[in-house]
Each structure stands twice: as C-alpha cells, then as structure tokens.
Amino acid sequence: MDQFDVVVIGGGPGGYVAAIRAAQLGFKTACIDEWKNAAGKPAPGGTCTNVGCIPSKALLQSSEHYDHAMHHFADHGITASGVKMDVAKMLARKDAVVKQNNDGILYLFKKNKVTFFHGRGAFVGAAKDGVYEIAVGESAATSIAAKHVIIATGSNARALPGAAFDEKLILSNDGALRVGEVPKSLGVIGAGVIGLEMGSVWRRLGSDVTVLEGLPTFLGAVDESIAKEALKLFTKQGLKISLGVKVGAIKPGKNNVAVEYTTADGKTENATFDRLIVSIGRTPNTNGLNAEAGGVKLDERGFITVDGDCKTSAPNVWAVGDVVRGPMLAHKAEEEGVAVAERIAGQHPHIDFNCIPWVIYTSPEIAWVGQTEQQLKASGVAYKSGSFPFMANGRARALGNTDGMVKILADAKTDKVLGMHVIGPVASELIAEGVMAMEFGASSEDIARICHAHPTLSEATKEAALAVDKRTLNF
Ligand code: FAD
Ligand code: NAI
C-alpha cells in the first residue's frame, strides 16, 4: 500500500489547492478525484471548473458579447448586420475553456509532485496506529495509506421534491450549462446566484425568462439599496422576477414543463416553460465517502462537522469547502485548503470570514465584502455611509456602462471600513480594494487619500470613501 503524509479526497478548488500547498510544504501528498469529462477522462477541478464558476463565466462572456453586438454597438457608431448566435460553437468554446483548466490542474499536480488518483476515495475504517486506509476507485481494488486526510468532496444541486433533474427539461446547474438551443421560454426556480447568472445568459440570447423566488425579498443577503437597484435593472432588462411565490406541482411533458405556482397575492398561476432551471441551493456531497467509518461526524443537514480550524471529529482528518459550513464559494474553499495544509505543517494561519468577498456575475455585476447596512442596524453598530454613482464616473461614461454605484460603510467613531458594496461594471474586480482595506483594518479616509488612476472605475471607490466624509469631488 502506498504511504502518504497527506491524502486529499476531492480535486475541486478546496482539494486541489490544499494538495498543492501540502506538497509545497514538503509533505508526500496524493489527491483523489472522481470527476470524468464527456470523453470519460479525468477532469479535476470539481464543480467550479466543470459545471460552476468557469463554464458559467465563459457563457456569461459569450452571451454578453452577443448582447453588445445586438443592442449596444450602435451607440458606438458601429453597425453590425446579420449577427447570429451559434449555440453549439458557444458551448464548444466553453468546453475548451473547461478543458484548459482541467489540464492546468493536472500540470500543477505534476509540477508540485502531487500524486493524482482518478476514482472515488472512501474511508476503509478508523485510523490504525495513526494511519488511515483510503480505498481508491470504484472496485476499491487499490488502497493508499495516509497520516492526514483532507476531505474536499464539495456539493450537489438540491432538487425540488417530486421534480428530479432529468437535465433535459428540468435542469440543475449542469444541464443549464449544456442547453443545445436557445429555449423560447425559460423558467427559473430560485432567484439566487445561479438563477440570476444562468437566467441572464439565456435572456441575453433571446429566451423569455421567468424567475420564481420563494422569499418575499430579493437577494436578502445583499445590501438593501444594492438589491433594490439590481431588481430595478434586471426587470428593465426583461427578466420577469416574481417574489414570495409558492411553487406547486411541476409536470414535465414531452417538450416542455408545466409549473403551477401561487403568487405573493394568492393567485394560482399555471405556466409552461421550454426548460426549467431549479437553483434553490446546494447540498453537501459525502456520497460513497464512508465518512462515518473513518470516525467523521456529519451534522443533521449532511455537512461534515468541523471546528473553526476545519478539524473534523476524527484525529488528523480535516474538511474544507462546500462540504463544511460557511459560504459555498470557490475562493473560500481555496483559503480553507491552504490553511489546513499549513496547520498540518504546524503553522497558524487565520481566515477572516468577514473579509470573504461575494460576487454575482450578472450585468451589471454585484459584489460585496463585510457587513450590509441591514446587518449593522440589526447589531446596533453606529456607522457612516458614502456612495458614488457610476453615472458620475468618467470611465463608466466612456464605457457606456453607467448603471450602479459603489457604497462604503464605515464605523461612525473610528472610521474603520465595515463593508463595501458595488453594483456596476467589473464590480468583481473593484471589490478587491474593499477586501484589502478590510484585511488591513483601513479607514474610509485611508481609501480617500490613496491616489487612484484616472480615468478608472476605481475612482468611484475613492469617491465613495470621500462621500463617507460628505466631500465627494465629482458628484
Ligand atoms: P467541488 O468543487 O464540488 O469539488 C469536489 C470534488 O470532489 C469534485 O470533483 C467531486 O467529483 C469530487 N468528489 C466528491 N466525492 C468524492 C470521493 N468520494 N472521491 C473522490 N472524489 C470525490 N463560486 C465562486 O466563488 N465563484 C463563482 O463564480 C461560482 N460560480 C458557480 C457557478 C455555478 C453554476 C455553481 C454550481 C457553483 C459556483 N460557485 C462559484 C461555487 C463553487 O463552484 C464551489 O463553492 C466550489 O466548487 C467548492 O469547491 P470544493 O472544492 O469544496 O468542491
Ligand atoms: P442560492 O442559495 O444562491 O439561491 C437559492 C434561492 O432559491 C434563494 O433565493 C432561495 O430563497 C430560493 N429558494 C429556495 N427554495 C425555494 C423554493 N422551493 N421555491 C422558490 N425559491 C426557493 O443557491 P443557488 O443559486 O442554487 O446557488 C448555490 C450556491 O452556489 C450559492 O449559494 C453560491 O454559494 C454558489 N454560487 C456562487 C456563484 C458566485 O460566486 N458567483 C455563482 C453560482 C453559485
């Protein structure tokens, strides 16, 4: 049996990054991942690379180009005629981007001397003399031995009861990324991150998109003023968003799906959609891991129970990413993976969950870090707020992309930055400044005093910081 210092089960962003960091720290490391691509070949990278972050952003980019060509080129004096969308080519490009990332991870494993095993990893039992036996592969013919095990087995899409995913008519995130032609009508259940991102892709390509959300509030985790602006903009773009809806029977037919639902004002509606995306959250994945045999406890919702350092109930077994508590984000999984490898090496890394940024890749993008106004109010923290609209930013005007704003929240007494919220162009990149400020314990005055290049979108961040002190220069 091959002996390793560290065996990582799962090769998504949590697992593959943990394996690389463990190897960098001098541990003999293996990573086991079972994902196969359509050709049956190993495809490490997990949900993120195969059916999540990467392919969704590839399609968002393609659909945004199409939308620009159809609706915005004319504003720049460019006439484009005969613009057509070749969905097959768009999907093939997306698949090629995914494969580059799969291959990149295999290359990184080689470079860092991580041994890769393709197949399912499962605990054979509890540790014997401090060593775990991990079975590898479907027939479990091979076993490897490990002193430390890092579980990074990720998550799966949650289905609605009575409406299993067939990936043809009723789609999870997986099927939503493989629709072969633009559906005339698309239903989306759940106005969360996936619903809005995938709804945006297919709307831009011409679908009539209806989003049915169970909660009465739109994007409840987002700062209220940003969520309000987002709802206004998405509705103007043509997304039909219904809040406070109760979804009833879902009946797939031959070519479409019938959905019965009750609206917030109590009306029963019957809608028929060519495709239905169900994006109502994700469940932790411990399928076939045999975690309990290894002494690893799960909570009542199926997440692996961990402490603040990602230690499980079993000695020297750790768990990171979507399979444990906390936000289901690739960068959160990565930070935990690195931190665990460093803890195994005796180091003392720290992750500040309050400084983990969130991004929703709609158009405009939404990004935030830290506390929202509603959270600060609820916890009774006295704060100051400053915001700056992209309408008043020169670069945004030049881009023709003036929707949205940057908002900074700072402590009323100390001026320490408590949160930054952006809706607007490349919010996903702009938010890094807020994360940096918060990690360094910066004040809004610190951001206001930093020289930002002109003309840039980031000047809106500086101006929002100036607005906290009621002294914007350009608005
Ligand atoms: P995963 O990425 O799920 O990887 C787990 C891996 O473990 C998989 O390869 C799985 O096959 C393998 N595995 C499971 N069990 C076993 C076993 N027993 N043996 C061997 N292998 C096993 N997050 C962002 O931060 N930004 C985004 O833009 C973003 N976009 C997303 C878009 C979509 C459509 C979806 C669905 C998710 C998106 N996410 C995004 C979330 C992100 O994908 C996850 O948070 C991230 O992938 C979690 O990483 P992980 O390593 O914990 O698990
Ligand atoms: P989500 O948690 O973001 O949104 C689910 C939505 O469905 C919520 O608004 C919820 O109220 C609603 N809902 C739940 N049950 C419902 C029901 N029965 N009827 C109607 N509405 C219902 O989950 P989503 O979109 O599935 O994404 C899962 C996770 O994947 C996200 O939370 C996020 O962590 C990750 N992700 C991250 C992305 C990013 O970082 N850009 C992109 C996509 C996914």
Side-chain angles (χ1 to χ4, degrees):
M1 198 164 28
D2 275 350
Q3 305 268 339
F4 291 91
D5 299 318
V6 178
V7 167
V8 184
I9 307 178
Y16 90 76
V17 167
I20 290 173
R21 186 71 188 118
Q24 283 176 349
L25 290 162
F27 294 113
K28 187 179 174 198
T29 306
C31 181
I32 311 170
D33 186 80
E34 65 178 347
W35 206 294
K36 283 185 199 135
N37 62 19
K41 296 272 189 268
T47 302
C48 169
T49 301
N50 292 295
V51 291
C53 325
I54 301 300
S56 61
K57 267 82 251 180
L59 295 190
L60 277 156
Q61 193 59 52
S62 300
S63 62
E64 191 157 357
H65 283 320
Y66 180 70
D67 190 57
H68 281 191
M70 295 296 282
H71 304 293
H72 304 294
F73 275 10
D75 301 341
H76 295 261
I78 302 167
T79 310
S81 57
V83 177
K84 286 200 188 88
M85 167 48 67
D86 181 342
V87 177
K89 197 160 180 189
M90 182 180 83
L91 296 184
R93 175 186 175 274
K94 178 252 319 173
D95 291 341
V97 172
V98 167
K99 183 149 189 316
Q100 282 168 3
N101 283 272
N102 298 139
D103 293 347
I105 294 167
L106 290 170
Y107 160 78
L108 290 172
F109 280 164
K110 265 203 189 124
K111 181 181 159 201
N112 289 284
K113 301 192 174 47
V114 172
T115 308
F116 176 63
F117 291 92
H118 187 228
R120 178 165 284 188
F123 284 88
V124 172
K128 283 188 195 135
D129 300 326
V131 174
Y132 289 90
E133 182 181 345
I134 305 293
V136 184
E138 263 139 54
S139 61
T142 315
S143 275
I144 56 177
K147 279 191 220 150
H148 288 269
V149 181
I150 304 175
I151 302 169
T153 49
S155 64
N156 292 320
R158 187 156 74 83
L160 271 172
F165 296 118
D166 59 16
E167 304 298 6
K168 289 196 171 69
L169 294 172
I170 304 180
L171 313 174
S172 70
N173 56 291
D174 185 4
L177 292 159
R178 290 192 278 117
V179 182
E181 58 188 31
V182 181
K184 276 210 180 72
S185 63
L186 174 70
V188 177
I189 301 184
V193 198
I194 295 179
L196 292 174
E197 289 188 4
M198 295 316 300
S200 295
V201 165
W202 295 107
R203 181 203 56 76
R204 287 176 196 159
L205 300 179
S207 276
D208 181 14
V209 180
T210 303
V211 184
L212 305 174
E213 166 59 41
L215 292 177
T217 39
F218 182 63
L219 289 177
V222 175
D223 188 87
E224 264 167 23
S225 58
I226 302 282
K228 205 168 137 208
E229 182 72 5
L231 182 59
K232 193 179 83 193
L233 292 170
F234 298 158
T235 306
K236 197 167 128 202
Q237 289 167 1
L239 279 184
K240 296 174 188 157
I241 301 171
S242 286
L243 302 175
V245 160
K246 193 166 172 6
V247 175
I250 298 180
K251 292 194 184 121
K254 206 165 159 222
N255 297 312
N256 51 32
V257 190
V259 179
E260 187 196 279
Y261 62 94
T262 313
T263 59
D265 52 7
K267 274 194 217 128
T268 301
E269 300 276 354
N270 287 287
T272 305
F273 303 111
D274 291 337
R275 295 282 194 287
L276 180 71
I277 296 175
V278 177
S279 46
I280 55 165
R282 298 177 62 80
T283 54
N285 175 24
T286 50
N287 295 336
L289 182 65
N290 207 17
E292 284 93 342
V296 177
K297 286 198 184 120
L298 311 185
D299 71 14
E300 63 289 351
R301 292 186 303 151
F303 287 95
I304 291 179
T305 309
V306 286
D307 67 7
D309 286 347
C310 293
K311 269 188 193 147
T312 72
S313 53
N316 297 333
V317 180
W318 313 73
V320 301
D322 281 12
V323 79
V324 304
R325 84 287 172 266
M328 288 186 169
L329 297 172
H331 41 282
K332 175 263 192 185
E334 290 184 27
E335 293 302 321
E336 286 182 334
V338 167
V340 162
E342 292 178 351
R343 281 181 196 123
I344 292 173
Q347 299 181 9
H348 301 280
H350 171 71
I351 300 171
D352 184 349
F353 276 78
N354 192 41
C355 292
I356 292 180
W358 280 82
V359 179
I360 308 179
Y361 293 83
T362 40
S363 178
E365 293 179 349
I366 300 170
W368 72 99
V369 60
Q371 307 278 297
T372 60
E373 272 203 61
Q374 59 268 31
Q375 283 172 325
L376 293 173
K377 276 184 193 142
S379 50
V381 175
Y383 66 91
K384 302 177 282 183
S385 168
S387 52
F388 189 83
F390 284 108
M391 186 64 87
N393 173 275
R395 183 71 189 278
R397 287 195 199 121
L399 286 171
N401 219 337
T402 51
D403 286 331
M405 65 179 126
V406 178
K407 173 169 166 179
I408 290 178
L409 303 172
D411 188 282
K413 261 202 203 133
T414 64
D415 193 34
K416 188 174 173 184
V417 176
L418 301 175
M420 174 165 153
H421 304 269
V422 188
I423 177 166
V426 294
S428 52
E429 303 292 342
L430 294 175
I431 201 62
E433 185 172 2
V435 177
M436 176 98 92
M438 287 187 57
E439 283 282 10
F440 285 150
S443 62
S444 78
E445 187 187 344
D446 288 328
I447 299 178
R449 285 188 181 278
I450 291 169
C451 178
H452 289 66
H454 177 75
T456 58
L457 296 166
S458 69
E459 285 172 291
T461 304
K462 179 186 172 104
E463 290 276 3
L466 285 166
V468 172
D469 198 31
K470 301 196 174 27
R471 54 186 185 97
T472 50
L473 296 165
N474 286 288
F475 186 58

